[in-house]
Amino acid sequence: MNSLTVNLHLMMASFYRPSGRRTRIVIEDAAFPSDSYAVASQAVHHGLDPARTVVRLAPRDGEEHLRTEDVLAFLEREGDTVALVMLGGVNYLTGQLMDMPAITKAGRAAGAVVGWDLAHAAGNVPLRLHDWDVDFAAWCTYKYLNAGPGAVAGCFVHERHVRDASVPKLSGWWGTEPSVRFRMDPDIAPPASADAWQLSNPPILALAPVLASLEIFDRVGMDALRAKSERLTGYLASRLGSAPGARPITPADPAARGTQLSLRVADAGGLVRRLAEAHGVVADARDPTSSGSRPSRCTARSTTATAPPRPSPTSPSG
């Protein structure tokens, strides 16, 4: 249904319910920009100041990745102020695979709702959202699910919420029971599933590549794909080990990363051009050095320390 950021907003409309001290939204400092925009606008929608409401957990000084123990310690220490934890399952920049079961458990134990942006995790790593007790998740299909830019996205809502009639939601025609949809009644009859969060009928032609891709995933299985991805990234990492001027910022442990290797290089733009012209390799360069005001940026060890800007990483990834 919809697109990724639309689905995140629909999920937050239902599950981000700030009250009293419990108002904060926790994301990672290196979150994809759309997530940053979405949570900040949700804070404003509720009459809150994003600079005080949005907490951006950053790695320790000199490190590239969030440590799970630091995230858990933050939630144990300050969880009574957190309304929503919404991290990326696999970080788009570094490729770090977060410990979703442990963080979900800690967030829920702290009394917060836990949702995941799985844009870079769906079709990339095995997911057990129901078993992990995740409240909600949203993802796109145009990356690892092969459906192309603008393809229909998806969401997950835990069954305990779909059975709870008190959970507020923004509704549309496609969110009513198919069996009564064409009665055209003014009162909605939502199904007891995540389908209740749908709004409008999906674009049929755009669903065709999604269907074709998911049929392949069903035949092959995520476990087999995950094993292959670990072999491929492991082989590439071994080949890159001696490359001058290129330093991986993706975790070295295959179990701690998705199907991605990101590199910090001195001239990413030039490297991308050379790879394309000489070898036909399509790469992606990012320069996250732009400055500006940011909501509460803190390490997972402190809610007050503002870390200095990190050096410019540029990361061809795939």
Side-chain angles (χ1 to χ4, degrees):
M1 65 185 216
N2 311 307
S3 60
L4 171 59
T5 307
V6 170
N7 288 343
L8 288 174
H9 276 297
L10 290 175
M11 295 296 100
M12 287 188 282
S14 291
F15 299 111
Y16 175 53
R17 314 301 295 173
S19 177
R21 280 173 48 83
R22 195 179 289 279
T23 61
R24 300 163 93 188
I25 305 173
V26 175
I27 63 174
E28 71 271 39
D29 191 44
F32 193 79
S34 197
D35 289 26
S36 296
Y37 307 156
V39 296
S41 66
Q42 284 285 331
V44 172
H45 181 71
H46 286 274
L48 301 169
D49 178 3
R52 295 180 177 273
T53 303
V54 179
V55 177
R56 309 179 67 94
L57 298 183
R60 298 184 183 189
D61 292 343
E63 298 184 359
E64 301 286 354
H65 317 117
L66 281 172
R67 295 191 186 191
T68 299
E69 62 264 32
D70 289 345
V71 178
L72 302 187
F74 172 82
L75 291 172
E76 182 177 2
R77 188 177 62 247
E78 311 229 11
D80 63 340
T81 70
V82 175
L84 173 64
V85 178
M86 198 181 81
L87 302 172
V90 173
N91 184 262
Y92 88 101
L93 181 65
T94 67
Q96 179 185 9
L97 171 60
M98 303 299 292
D99 189 339
M100 288 182 267
I103 294 172
T104 299
K105 182 178 180 180
R108 287 189 41 76
V113 171
V114 181
W116 290 94
D117 178 345
L118 302 178
H120 292 78
N124 184 350
V125 296
L127 299 166
R128 304 285 186 268
L129 302 179
H130 180 275
D131 296 343
W132 298 341
D133 215 22
V134 170
D135 288 295
F136 72 83
W139 59 89
C140 55
T141 62
Y142 56 82
K143 296 185 179 76
Y144 292 95
L145 293 176
N146 309 312
V152 179
C155 76
F156 163 88
V157 181
H158 198 281
E159 64 181 5
R160 66 174 171 275
H161 297 306
V162 301
R163 294 194 301 261
D164 184 353
S166 69
V167 174
K169 62 177 68 70
L170 300 177
S171 299
W173 186 48
W174 220 248
T176 199
E177 279 281 3
S179 61
V180 300
R181 184 174 294 151
F182 286 91
R183 292 180 184 174
M184 316 303 277
D185 289 338
D187 296 323
I188 192 168
S193 71
D195 291 347
W197 275 262
Q198 293 184 107
L199 298 181
S200 304
N201 58 295
I204 300 303
L205 293 179
L207 281 175
V210 180
L211 175 62
S213 175
L214 293 181
E215 287 175 342
I216 297 172
F217 277 88
D218 281 345
R219 289 202 304 271
V220 176
M222 273 306 306
D223 291 337
L225 288 169
R226 176 61 173 164
K228 183 175 182 179
S229 78
E230 290 183 352
R231 293 196 301 272
L232 286 170
T233 54
Y235 173 73
L236 181 57
S238 69
R239 301 291 291 175
L240 289 170
S242 58
R247 181 168 66 83
I249 62 171
T250 301
D253 180 3
R257 66 188 181 214
T259 311
Q260 172 180 334
L261 291 178
S262 295
L263 307 174
R264 192 188 299 276
V265 296
D267 179 18
L271 176 60
V272 167
R273 287 191 297 272
R274 293 192 296 275
L275 286 171
E277 293 169 359
H279 304 288
V281 174
V282 178
D284 180 29
R286 301 294 175 102
D287 182 14
T289 59
S290 58
S291 60
S293 60
R294 294 156 77 81
S296 305
R297 183 179 185 278
C298 59
T299 70
R301 295 164 293 149
S302 168
T303 59
T304 57
T306 301
R310 293 195 294 274
S312 167
T314 47
S315 52
S317 61

